[in-house]
């Protein structure tokens, strides 16, 4: 079911500062900020040869990463995203195996305009897992 790692996501308290660190200090290519109101975050992607790092900053009062940043004020690893070829088939297979899908279980459109789902971290060894259909 699992394809490549699409990205690893890091929640950050200050996106412009985090962007400056990756771009100006580490010399990485960083995309323009993208507001994703449906997900309650603003994101940039650090583009690496073999994968991407997604930097997430809260957007709006109801941001799902707000509590995470309260617990981790300087930021922290937030989720890992794996690619799948058929997200609905993957979801059905995972549900059958007893894994919980966050939200209403239907894919949302992610930062790459592709369908994404999140799996409950308690079912995934304490790691929030995103699946993205590619
Ligand atoms: Co992500």
């Amino acid at each position: 079911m699992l394809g490549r790692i699409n990205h690893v996501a890091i929640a950050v308290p200050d996106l412009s500062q985090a962007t400056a660190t990756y771009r100006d200090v580490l010399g990485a290519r960083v995309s323009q900020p993208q507001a994703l109101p449906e997900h309650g975050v603003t994101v940039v992607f650090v583009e690496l040869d073999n994968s991407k790092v997604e930097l997430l900053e809260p957007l709006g009062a109801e941001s799902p990463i707000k509590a995470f940043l309260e617990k981790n004020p300087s930021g922290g690893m937030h989720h890992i995203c794996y690619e799948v070829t058929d997200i609905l088939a993957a979801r059905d297979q995972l549900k059958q195996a007893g894994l919980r899908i966050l939200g209403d279980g239907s894919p949302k459109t992610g930062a790459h305009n592709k369908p994404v789902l999140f799996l409950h971290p308690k079912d995934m060894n304490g790691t929030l897992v995103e699946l993205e259909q590619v």
Side-chain angles (χ1 to χ4, degrees), residues 60-72:
E62 302 299 306
S63 175
I65 65 168
K66 206 176 140 210
F68 181 89
L69 281 168
E70 278 161 13
K71 278 184 248 157
N72 305 278

Side-chain angles (χ1 to χ4, degrees), residues 7 9 45 54 56 79 81 118 130:
H7 60 270
F45 283 94
E54 178 181 53
L56 305 164
H79 65 266
C81 177
F118 287 90
E130 178 178 19

Side-chain angles (χ1 to χ4, degrees), residues 6-9 36 43 45 54 56 78-81 110-112 116 118 130 132:
N6 185 275
H7 60 270
V8 172
L36 300 173
V43 305
F45 283 94
E54 178 181 53
L56 305 164
H78 186 261
H79 65 266
I80 183 163
C81 177
H112 308 112
V116 301
F118 287 90
E130 178 178 19
E132 178 173 306

Side-chain angles (χ1 to χ4, degrees), residues 45-98:
F45 283 94
V46 179
E47 289 151 14
L48 306 170
D49 283 347
N50 65 341
S51 198
K52 295 185 281 287
V53 173
E54 178 181 53
L55 304 177
L56 305 164
E57 181 185 62
L59 174 64
E62 302 299 306
S63 175
I65 65 168
K66 206 176 140 210
F68 181 89
L69 281 168
E70 278 161 13
K71 278 184 248 157
N72 305 278
S74 53
M77 274 251 302
H78 186 261
H79 65 266
I80 183 163
C81 177
Y82 300 113
E83 297 181 351
V84 297
T85 50
D86 183 338
I87 201 162
L88 293 177
R91 177 198 63 188
D92 292 345
Q93 198 178 325
L94 292 165
K95 275 171 86 172
Q96 197 115 52

